């Protein structure tokens, strides 16, 4: 089940559609059926934590995605796509909870804090772009005022 908390009312329908789409596209069906995924819009997340989105595994089948609510809708949907890649990584046991000084990816410890070079972030940054565009195409959102394609600006 997917629960969405503190989302702007004007964004709730499309955030719900996108979240369900991302989950079914990425996550193993049996894992998804047993899981609870909370998407929480957290005021001033970027000020408190230094990032606009994060995903944490809290128990065997419980995942929390935190999102900075002050972003525009396209950035919110792209960030949720990115965080759902992490949900998938947790479900497949490729990524284990990050610890204070290291994270575990496919059995190997990583202590680097070079975000863009961490293998789970490389994967999430790559997959989330295509996932978001697939969502936009499937739900025919290219004509919405919140959508823009940065390749054609």
């Amino acid at each position: 089940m997917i629960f969405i908390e503190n989302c702007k009312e004007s964004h709730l329908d499309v955030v719900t559609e996108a979240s369900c789409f991302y989950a079914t596209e990425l996550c193993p069906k049996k894992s998804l059926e047993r899981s609870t995924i909370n998407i929480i819009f957290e005021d001033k997340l970027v000020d408190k934590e230094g990032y606009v989105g994060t995903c944490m595994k809290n128990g065997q089948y419980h995942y929390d995605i935190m999102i900075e609510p002050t972003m525009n809708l396209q950035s919110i949907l792209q960030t949720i796509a990115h965080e759902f890649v992490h949900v998938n990584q947790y479900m497949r046991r490729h990524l284990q909870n990050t610890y204070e000084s290291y994270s575990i990816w496919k059995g190997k410890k990583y202590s680097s804090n070079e975000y863009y070079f961490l293998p789970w972030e490389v994967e999430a940054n790559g997959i989330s772009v295509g996932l978001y565009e697939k969502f936009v195409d499937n739900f025919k959102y290219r004509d919405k005022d919140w959508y823009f394609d940065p390749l054609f600006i």
Side-chain angles (χ1 to χ4, degrees):
M1 296 194 83
I2 298 174
F3 298 96
I4 300 171
E5 298 176 27
N6 302 325
C7 182
K8 280 185 190 175
E9 191 66 35
S10 61
H11 294 168
L12 186 58
D13 288 344
V14 70
V15 166
T16 301
E17 284 178 334
S19 299
C20 292
F21 178 80
Y22 300 155
T24 56
E25 284 291 308
L26 289 176
C27 300
K29 186 176 180 180
K30 287 185 180 182
S31 295
L32 192 56
E33 289 170 353
R34 293 182 277 225
S35 295
T36 299
I37 302 167
N38 293 316
I39 301 171
I40 304 158
F41 287 81
E42 180 72 32
D43 285 333
K44 299 184 181 178
L45 179 66
V46 74
D47 294 336
K48 292 183 228 172
E49 304 295 336
Y51 40 73
V52 296
T54 188
C55 175
M56 295 168 283
K57 182 177 181 184
N58 295 315
Q60 188 171 3
Y61 299 109
H62 186 96
Y63 308 88
D64 289 331
I65 294 173
M66 309 289 281
I67 301 293
E68 169 64 51
T70 60
M71 296 185 290
N72 64 46
L73 182 57
Q74 179 165 337
S75 294
I76 287 170
L77 297 176
Q78 290 169 331
T79 302
I80 292 171
H82 177 99
E83 300 309 330
F84 262 101
V85 175
H86 293 315
V87 170
N88 177 45
Q89 293 166 341
Y90 283 127
M91 285 181 172
R92 294 180 186 277
R93 297 189 179 117
H94 291 175
L95 179 63
Q96 293 181 25
N97 271 345
T98 53
Y99 302 93
E100 266 186 51
S101 61
Y102 67 91
S103 300
I104 299 173
W105 171 253
K106 296 184 178 180
K108 182 178 175 187
K109 286 184 182 180
Y110 287 83
S111 58
S112 172
N113 59 0
E114 294 183 20
Y115 172 85
Y116 288 103
F117 299 99
L118 296 168
W120 58 93
E121 295 299 344
V122 170
E123 182 176 273
N125 284 317
I127 292 172
S128 62
V129 172
L131 183 64
Y132 167 75
E133 292 297 332
K134 188 174 181 179
F135 166 73
V136 168
D137 283 342
N138 284 6
F139 286 83
K140 313 229 182 320
Y141 282 134
R142 289 208 185 273
D143 63 342
K144 297 295 184 185
D145 60 352
W146 53 261
Y147 176 81
F148 69 90
D149 188 335
L151 296 177
F152 298 100
I153 291 178

